[in-house]
Amino acid sequence: MALIVHKYGGTSMGSTERIAQVAKRVAKWARAGHHMVVVPSAMSGETNRLLGLAKELAPAKQGTEYLRELDMLASTGEQVSVGLLAIALQAEGQPAVSYAGWQVPIKTSNAYTKARIDNIDDGKVRADLNAGKVVIITGFQGVDEGGNITTLGRGGSDTSAVAVAAALKASECLIFTDVDGVYTTDPRVVPEARRMARVSFEEMLEMASLGSKVLQIRSVEFAGKYKVPVRVLSSFTPWDIDLATEAQSGTLITFEEDEQMEQAVVSGIAFSRDEAKVSVLGVPDRPGIASQILGAVADANIEVDMIIQNASKDGMADFSFTVNRNDYARTRDLLKDKVVPALGAADVVGDTRICKVSIVGIGMRSHVGVASKMFRVLSEEAINIQMISTSEIKTSVVIDEKYLELAVRALHRAFDLDQPAV
Ligand code: ADP
Ligand code: ASP
Ligand code: MG
């Protein structure tokens, strides 16, 4: 008998029929003698629908205003899910109890819309488990010191589940979703993508941070910090599939690197459309410029990703960087209003039709020429590279968004990631 956490994503919870299937699957695990905690997301589309309602009332300034109320609103999607799932389980004859984040409580920082989990009280949950109940806890939300409801950022139910698993010292956290594991790249973009039976924690961390939304980055960070075994698997298999088979399916995130993993130079390709580029033109090339530009951006709480400064000509340089697309307008306005006049720069221009494509692999540590192969493959497709950044186990490029699919497919093939043809 073990303590197991299951997480079910939006599509897995997408209708009452699907919720009934989830209940049957969870009941199967409980009948096998496991202590079960379940963390569901809102039904698919629900979080977008809720946030859309807010936009109808207040179209402008989303992302900087109404944040507390947006969390109050968005958190309701998960409350619906836990209520329905508890009813479905009880209807199956399986005792179950549902909790909102604040009832557990899952304590978070007060950074509305992107709060961080500080602490989870396990008392109530353990008592219910010992009383034979399945405990169902809302994903995506928590409560701050002041009793305000907070949310953890889009895709945050993954993080709730792994954090709950860490707090309860669960044997494993199973992330049930609409694909049957972690693939070499998004299988919806590259049908030839291959499922990995195991992926190293470090690679998963890079893939998630570079845009693979199969797991929210913070869930991977939690898994690493508390050494929680995490497995990604499908909720679309028949619910009555043999439990032992199910428990070995999908993709396991491992903390040991095996030889096979090191052999693959590139093990995955990640991409993100959530990018925008901003350039400050005609900046006087003198010490302190980067700090003045990026300092102003940081003061506005805007995260900067890639940075590039071109060689100066006649004492003037251009300074470009990328931000999340949601922060683009705010960044551009801030630079125009404050930074350009202060520096005596010429202008600010930007581009929201860009994307970031990255190759990831721990094998890159011991192989040279991987990045140059990436650049060659892109040049053969006549794709212009606008920015580059590298680290030990990844290389990322910024390119025009219209070439995203072409670039990902070409790289997937060139780095031998395509499934063998049958
Ligand atoms: P959930 O609602 O279950 O949280 P998400 O939509 O957040 O599901 O994440 C699952 C999706 O992640 C898949 O449908 C797939 O399109 C996408 N995805 C992106 N990169 C990958 C990858 N490398 N492997 C598997 N899925 C990926
Ligand atoms: N419902 C939230 C979202 O759509 C959290 C999640 O699905 O993980 O972002
Ligand atoms: Mg998700």
Side-chain angles (χ1 to χ4, degrees):
M1 190 181 78
L3 198 166
I4 310 272
V5 175
H6 280 192
K7 180 259 172 177
Y8 291 90
T11 321
S12 311
M13 295 288 294
S15 62
T16 47
E17 288 79 22
R18 295 246 31 105
I19 293 174
Q21 296 290 306
V22 169
K24 286 186 166 33
R25 195 181 298 273
V26 171
K28 173 184 77 179
W29 281 75
R31 274 197 305 273
H34 297 304
H35 277 166
M36 296 302 301
V37 177
V38 186
V39 179
S41 297
M43 295 168 77
S44 59
E46 185 59 9
T47 310
N48 285 344
R49 188 186 73 84
L50 293 166
L51 295 173
L53 293 176
K55 231 175 203 154
E56 281 176 30
L57 289 171
K61 306 221 173 128
Q62 295 261 324
T64 53
E65 287 195 299
Y66 323 115
L67 299 182
R68 178 185 182 279
E69 318 313 324
L70 285 169
D71 277 0
M72 174 63 96
L73 171 71
S75 66
T76 60
E78 271 70 11
Q79 196 170 327
V80 170
S81 288
V82 293
L84 289 174
L85 184 54
I87 290 168
L89 274 161
Q90 290 175 17
E92 282 286 314
Q94 170 61 54
V97 57
S98 62
Y99 289 116
W102 63 267
Q103 292 176 301
V104 174
I106 296 179
K107 290 266 183 66
T108 72
S109 68
N110 69 351
Y112 298 118
T113 74
K114 48 183 170 199
R116 285 180 176 270
I117 295 177
D118 291 329
N119 170 299
I120 298 179
D121 189 335
D122 64 351
K124 225 184 250 180
V125 178
R126 285 197 192 280
D128 287 324
L129 290 173
N130 290 334
K133 291 180 194 165
V134 169
V135 180
I136 306 167
I137 303 173
T138 47
F140 183 50
Q141 61 173 269
V143 63
D144 74 3
E145 275 296 311
N148 304 292
I149 291 178
T150 55
T151 69
L152 309 178
R154 300 306 305 268
S157 297
D158 297 330
T159 303
S160 308
V162 178
V164 164
L168 292 168
K169 302 191 176 53
S171 312
E172 196 163 276
C173 182
L174 304 186
I175 308 275
F176 285 90
T177 183
D178 56 6
V179 283
D180 63 354
V182 179
Y183 278 68
T184 45
T185 193
D186 188 339
R188 296 187 202 285
V189 170
V190 182
E192 294 80 17
R194 260 187 291 131
R195 182 177 62 82
M196 297 182 266
R198 294 151 69 83
V199 61
S200 76
F201 158 73
E202 277 179 287
E203 284 168 329
M204 194 62 241
L205 196 64
E206 285 285 6
M207 298 266 286
S209 83
L210 295 167
S212 297
K213 70 165 185 165
V214 62
L215 286 178
Q216 199 201 34
I217 170 90
R218 284 191 194 159
S219 70
V220 188
E221 287 168 357
F222 255 101
K225 189 163 172 196
Y226 298 99
K227 296 286 174 288
V228 181
V230 171
R231 183 180 289 277
V232 176
L233 68 172
S234 173
S235 70
F236 285 77
T237 54
W239 69 265
D240 55 355
I241 171 181
D242 169 59
L243 193 146
T245 310
E246 181 167 43
Q248 295 301 315
S249 68
T251 301
L252 181 69
I253 296 166
T254 69
F255 299 102
E256 300 125 40
E257 294 170 9
D258 56 36
E259 250 174 52
Q260 212 185 345
M261 287 174 167
E262 276 158 28
Q263 271 164 17
V265 181
V266 170
S267 49
I269 299 182
F271 55 86
S272 162
R273 290 188 174 86
D274 303 333
E275 315 280 321
K277 187 169 81 170
V278 193
S279 302
V280 188
L281 307 179
V283 185
D285 194 10
R286 56 165 196 258
I289 291 297
S291 124
Q292 264 178 282
I293 296 176
L294 298 177
V297 176
D299 288 346
N301 241 329
I302 297 169
E303 251 177 73
V304 167
D305 182 15
M306 287 196 210
I307 304 169
I308 193 166
Q309 183 181 336
N310 69 356
S312 74
K313 210 172 130 207
D314 306 326
M316 297 294 188
D318 296 339
F319 191 92
S320 302
F321 56 93
T322 60
V323 293
N324 190 293
R325 213 174 274 185
N326 291 331
D327 291 326
Y328 169 70
R330 215 152 54 91
T331 311
R332 185 201 49 204
D333 294 350
L334 160 103
L335 292 173
K336 268 208 165 106
D337 297 346
K338 295 204 186 121
V339 177
V340 166
L343 292 181
D347 201 2
V348 177
V349 293
D351 191 352
T352 52
R353 286 157 310 178
I354 58 157
C355 65
K356 180 166 73 173
V357 176
S358 310
I359 55 174
V360 174
I362 46 181
M364 287 168 76
R365 276 193 201 125
S366 46
H367 289 78
V368 291
V370 185
S372 63
K373 177 168 172 181
M374 178 187 201
F375 307 149
R376 193 177 66 241
V377 171
L378 295 174
S379 89
E380 281 163 6
E381 299 293 341
I383 298 172
N384 185 41
I385 299 171
Q386 303 179 20
M387 287 173 142
I388 299 170
S389 91
T390 62
S391 75
E392 210 189 12
I393 67 163
K394 71 116 207 278
T395 301
S396 302
V397 295
V398 165
I399 58 172
D400 189 320
E401 189 183 29
K402 70 176 180 241
Y403 298 125
L404 188 142
E405 277 91 0
L406 176 64
V408 174
R409 289 198 186 120
L411 291 166
H412 199 267
R413 202 176 321 116
F415 284 105
D416 296 324
L417 297 172
D418 279 7
Q419 273 182 19
V422 277

